Amino acid sequence: MTSMETRRGRRTAPAPAFRLQRAAQSPTSAVLLLHGGRADGLEPPTVWNLPDVRMRPFARSIARATAGDGVVLGKVRYGCRGWNGDRADAGRDALRALDELNDLSAGRAPTVLVGHSMGGRAALHAAGHPLVSAVVALAPWCPAGEPVDHLAGKRVVLLHGDRDRVTDPRETWAFAARARAAGAEVCALRMPGGDHAMLRRAVDWHRFTTRVVAGLLGLEPLPPKVAASLAPGAVTAAEDSVWEPAPEDG
């Protein structure tokens, strides 16, 4: 898909990439969710797209935690189901959604990106956008050689289950090390027993993400292990850091 479609000889603008889920009268910040997809696929996602459905509990939990705080909630609408090699379609859609959000908020909404799988890759790809303050990537797709220099000065939180058979946690740990060396503030945590679909320990995935997003937005303290990893000079080895819920998480 190109940036413009041709229909009956006419060039038409593409559909918006930003889909608003909750507006705020006086926006102070924003959260943008990015669901997963495929390595390849030029067809658009369907209405009942399973990767999108997986992100709905996260959206509901984050919405409850940020109610009344001026936080805009939205998601990225992909034009294609796949990343599609050098086309990086999902990454381009994420950047376009951020441009649209920037126009909506007049540049006054520092944004946390929350992405799963291919959506995690798209979020990391788009994190250099000036609106982005932080990224939370869940079971992300982080192939070797993925660029990291644009993450300098950004806060990046990565969570990967050790039973993931779709995306490789070892690639996430390697990405975390390279991003930290490039100047990003990085926390990478292992979810014991976690799978790629985030069905095992689903409640923990939802609670972790919500607490971290609220902390990155400054609405509550970050979980101690995340705060320690994001502190200047932190060098914790990613594979040695394990996420376990605190007693107050239930």
Side-chain angles (χ1 to χ4, degrees), residues 151-242:
L151 297 174
K154 305 289 185 177
R155 293 183 291 174
V156 177
V157 180
L158 309 165
L159 183 66
H160 215 132
D162 57 13
R163 292 190 181 182
D164 196 320
R165 300 296 181 264
V166 178
T167 54
D168 192 339
R170 294 170 298 181
E171 292 186 334
T172 295
W173 313 147
F175 180 91
R178 293 192 300 110
R180 185 178 290 114
E185 299 173 13
V186 181
C187 173
L189 296 172
R190 176 168 52 88
M191 174 76 82
D195 63 332
H196 187 72
M198 304 180 293
L199 296 176
R200 296 189 181 98
R201 302 189 62 177
V203 172
D204 289 335
W205 284 95
H206 302 156
R207 288 175 174 167
F208 169 86
T209 303
T210 301
R211 287 190 63 199
V212 170
V213 168
L216 292 170
L217 292 173
L219 302 179
E220 64 176 62
L222 283 163
K225 186 168 287 189
V226 176
S229 294
L230 295 180
V235 293
T236 304
E239 61 271 21
D240 293 334
S241 297
V242 178

Side-chain angles (χ1 to χ4, degrees), residues 4-152:
M4 305 288 284
E5 291 184 9
T6 302
R7 291 185 178 176
R8 297 180 182 178
R10 295 183 179 181
R11 295 170 66 83
T12 59
F18 173 73
R19 177 170 289 179
L20 181 67
Q21 295 182 298
R22 185 183 70 194
Q25 186 172 4
S26 300
T28 59
S29 55
V31 178
L32 191 57
L33 288 96
L34 303 91
H35 65 73
R38 301 175 177 176
D40 299 290
L42 296 177
E43 69 280 7
T46 61
V47 175
W48 290 104
N49 181 36
L50 183 56
D52 181 41
V53 172
R54 288 194 187 108
M55 295 303 291
R56 293 179 188 177
F58 292 92
R60 289 192 295 267
S61 181
I62 292 169
R64 288 192 297 268
T66 60
D69 290 308
V71 180
V72 174
L73 298 181
K75 67 179 182 179
V76 175
R77 177 163 52 186
Y78 302 138
C80 303
R81 298 183 77 171
W83 185 266
N84 300 318
D86 291 341
R87 289 170 53 114
D89 285 308
R92 291 191 300 142
D93 287 338
L95 287 167
R96 193 158 57 87
L98 285 163
D99 285 341
E100 294 167 10
L101 174 58
N102 188 68
D103 293 341
L104 177 69
S105 67
R108 295 192 298 268
T111 300
V112 176
L113 303 179
V114 180
H116 170 242
S117 192
M118 184 190 76
R121 184 180 186 182
L124 293 164
H125 176 94
H129 192 285
L131 207 61
V132 176
S133 61
V135 175
V136 180
L138 309 170
W141 178 20
C142 297
E146 197 76 351
V148 295
D149 289 346
H150 64 292
L151 297 174

